[in-house]
Amino acid sequence: MISFASLAWLGAAAHIASAVSFTVPTSATTGALPYAPVEVAPLGLSFEFFAFPAYFHNVTATNLCLANLKALSGTWPPIRIGGTTQDRASYDANLLSEVVYSVETPVDAPKALKFGPSFFELAAMYAGNVTLSLNRGKNDINNTIAAAKAAVQSIGNLYAIELGNEPEYWAKTQPIASDAWDPAIDAASQNEWAIIVGNAIDKKDIVQAGNSNSLPPRWGAQELIASGNITAREFVRTYSHHNYPGGNVSSLMSHSNAVNNVHFPYSFFGEESMGNPYVGVYAATSFLAGARYVAALDDGKSAFAAYATFDASGAPLRMLLYNSNYHSGIGSRSVEDFIVDGISASQVRSKRVTADGAEARQDRGGNASIGQQYFHNATCSIGGTETFEVNPVWDGQATFSVAASEALLVYLQ
């Protein structure tokens, strides 16, 4: 059942609001804005290598959390299986278990582990694209080739193979980096391994290269491309970069910071509780689903963000308005009015993405919501009644009130 609020969020009226103004282009690729293409499955998830089987066997929420995103976009989100422990893992073709390791406490990551053919069989059961990350750090290319061959045979939905994770941290800790190790040496190593592994499995356009966390231009795609190895590029399908900027919640959510250092939240769900960042992922997928292009309407210099998506015909599809000012959940909450021109409809609907404060946690009773819906702990099933706010439009202009640490998803069609 869908309920509609008769007017846009009246709660904002209790506060004095300032205002910012934006204009939605009448069509994509017009004007001076930069437009970026949007993937059919706009967001994906990464599972730490050793924990991948446990997520799909022991965490009930996993499949439904993925299915929720598929329901929005029509396509299963791509997944990546990798992380620090991929470079601690050895393939054993005779191993019956998916993965074998030991740890002192359940929160530890294993220092060494083995995985077998059933690891790939589990990955093959996923309906979306899979990027599989394998070991380069141990410098055992024959073992990695054996794993890659088994993966290609088993995983029909294999999108790419990574060869090593975050190599900038390998110096003196991984066998491949026991001597000299720097971006240029790593680039040469990545190129060499891409060619050797690609030839061994008789596939080009198969490697996801880069996979670094350090900021460009050193390490990662920029360093690899600058190395000028044209042969290696024939085997590269995609380049990947990681980003864990660190800092406090206020700096992480700041729009002016994020626009120059793009990052996404993680820890979406666990065995017993949901993470509120999953609501953000759900909202972002809702915003991007079915879109052909996305553009930023703001200049990235303030706390207030405005983005628009456009459909295949170029018509405006949705807007995402974000007030990145920090609200702790205590005391008064500031409100910003977003005045938007260029809207063709006489009224538009919107969903509010909100929580009591920026640091609200569902495992502590602070559920985040989108359109007054949330996700149940342990299952990821949707709770609450889908609720739209209705915003009037006058002469192509509408005003939307967005409180600090909130976002508003506006439907333009």
Side-chain angles (χ1 to χ4, degrees):
M1 176 179 179
I2 300 176
S3 65
F4 294 87
S6 59
L7 291 173
W9 192 51
L10 295 177
H15 304 279
I16 298 174
S18 55
V20 290
S21 299
F22 304 100
T23 299
V24 180
T26 56
S27 180
T29 71
T30 60
L33 293 177
Y35 295 82
V38 178
E39 295 285 341
V40 176
L43 293 177
L45 280 75
S46 179
F47 295 90
E48 177 61 43
F49 192 90
F50 84 96
F52 164 67
Y55 264 102
F56 280 83
H57 289 313
N58 303 333
V59 180
T60 304
T62 300
N63 286 304
L64 189 51
C65 280
L66 291 164
N68 288 339
L69 303 182
K70 189 262 185 183
L72 294 172
S73 69
T75 303
W76 286 96
I79 65 170
R80 173 209 181 225
I81 305 167
T84 300
T85 55
Q86 76 185 66
D87 289 295
R88 302 173 183 176
S90 297
Y91 177 64
D92 184 345
N94 298 314
L95 191 68
L96 298 180
S97 301
E98 291 155 344
V99 63
V100 173
Y101 61 86
S102 61
V103 291
E104 292 185 5
T105 69
V107 298
D108 290 340
K111 300 297 184 183
L113 60 150
K114 292 183 178 181
F115 63 103
S118 57
F119 189 96
F120 304 136
E121 293 168 7
L122 178 62
M125 294 174 64
Y126 182 62
N129 286 337
V130 173
T131 293
L132 177 70
S133 306
L134 297 176
N135 193 332
R136 181 164 59 96
K138 294 297 184 186
N139 204 24
D140 187 349
I141 197 167
N142 290 329
N143 186 263
T144 297
I145 287 172
K149 287 181 175 179
V152 168
Q153 291 177 350
S154 297
I155 307 175
N157 49 343
L158 183 66
Y159 180 80
I161 294 174
E162 275 187 12
L163 298 170
N165 176 74
E166 298 178 358
E168 64 266 46
Y169 304 125
W170 290 355
K172 308 301 180 183
T173 65
Q174 286 282 18
I176 202 169
S178 58
D179 295 323
W181 192 249
D182 59 29
I185 296 173
D186 173 62
S189 170
Q190 288 209 42
N191 290 334
E192 180 185 24
W193 278 58
I195 294 168
I196 294 174
V197 174
N199 281 324
I201 61 177
D202 194 25
K203 280 188 176 293
K204 294 185 177 180
D205 194 34
I206 188 63
V207 172
Q208 179 159 289
N211 315 311
S212 293
N213 185 44
S214 297
L215 293 176
R218 305 192 79 208
W219 303 100
Q222 193 165 343
E223 187 81 22
L224 287 169
I225 294 169
S227 70
N229 193 318
I230 298 174
T231 302
R233 285 185 213 165
E234 295 178 1
F235 295 91
V236 175
R237 184 167 196 173
T238 55
Y239 292 95
S240 169
H241 205 94
H242 305 166
N243 193 13
Y244 308 101
N248 57 36
V249 173
S250 179
S251 66
L252 286 171
M253 66 185 288
S254 165
H255 176 55
S256 58
N257 287 343
V259 75
N260 294 312
N261 190 13
V262 177
H263 55 274
F264 287 93
Y266 49 97
S267 298
F268 300 150
F269 52 86
E271 190 171 0
E272 297 180 354
S273 65
M274 293 296 300
N276 278 340
Y278 181 77
V279 175
V281 171
Y282 189 87
T285 304
S286 299
F287 169 61
L288 295 167
R292 181 67 61 86
Y293 300 100
V294 62
L297 307 182
D298 67 280
D299 61 9
K301 296 179 180 179
S302 76
F304 311 111
Y307 296 91
T309 52
F310 303 82
D311 65 18
S313 71
L317 182 61
R318 304 180 192 95
M319 284 191 304
L320 187 65
L321 309 177
Y322 172 45
N323 182 342
S324 72
N325 281 323
Y326 176 82
H327 177 62
S328 67
I330 301 173
S332 61
R333 192 170 194 169
S334 63
V335 175
E336 189 77 12
D337 281 346
F338 287 67
I339 301 172
V340 181
D341 287 288
I343 301 175
S344 60
S346 60
Q347 64 178 27
V348 291
R349 302 179 304 160
S350 60
K351 284 185 177 181
R352 191 166 300 275
V353 184
T354 190
D356 290 340
E359 300 191 45
R361 289 177 48 163
Q362 185 155 324
D363 61 347
R364 297 175 181 173
N367 291 15
S369 63
I370 173 171
Q372 296 188 22
Q373 291 186 299
Y374 59 94
F375 300 90
H376 287 290
N377 286 330
T379 66
C380 205
S381 59
I382 299 174
T385 300
E386 185 179 32
T387 302
F388 290 89
E389 301 171 19
V390 178
N391 307 82
V393 180
W394 304 100
D395 295 327
Q397 184 182 92
T399 299
F400 306 91
S401 296
V402 186
S405 304
E406 274 193 346
L408 196 69
L409 176 60
V410 182
Y411 294 79
L412 300 175
Q413 296 183 12

